[in-house]
Amino acid sequence: ALVDFSVSLVGHAVTATIHSLVDGTQVAAFTATVTDAAAGQVNLSLSDSQTAAIAVGTYRWRLVSTQGALTRTYLEGFVEVGR
């Protein structure tokens, strides 16, 4: 999924993860590829095996940017997994 939030990401490292609402453990890490740093565009993806490994339930996801010592959460929300 292409995420476009119009914030320059030049010089930033971007990560995106899914966490359990119950205990906060990381359930999956997206592959986060900056496709246009100046325009703030990031492509997020999970492999088929990563997706299949996530149990049915509700989770929290978060997209984080790090530049030097500065870490920012740019996007976060909930993921509902059903089969």
Side-chain angles (χ1 to χ4, degrees):
L2 180 64
V3 179
D4 182 352
F5 48 95
S6 302
V7 174
S8 176
L9 296 173
V10 173
H12 293 244
V14 176
T15 59
T17 53
I18 299 174
H19 295 269
S20 166
L21 286 175
V22 175
D23 60 12
T25 58
Q26 182 176 305
V27 175
F30 289 93
T31 298
T33 305
V34 177
T35 56
D36 187 336
Q41 295 181 349
V42 179
N43 191 58
L44 301 178
S45 63
L46 291 173
S47 69
D48 291 343
S49 60
Q50 284 177 296
T51 303
I54 302 172
V56 171
T58 304
Y59 300 88
R60 176 173 294 283
W61 79 279
R62 181 173 292 144
L63 184 139
V64 175
S65 169
T66 304
Q67 183 183 35
L70 178 63
T71 299
R72 285 190 172 148
T73 298
Y74 277 105
L75 297 169
E76 64 183 335
F78 296 97
V79 175
E80 183 72 33
V81 177
R83 303 232 195 289

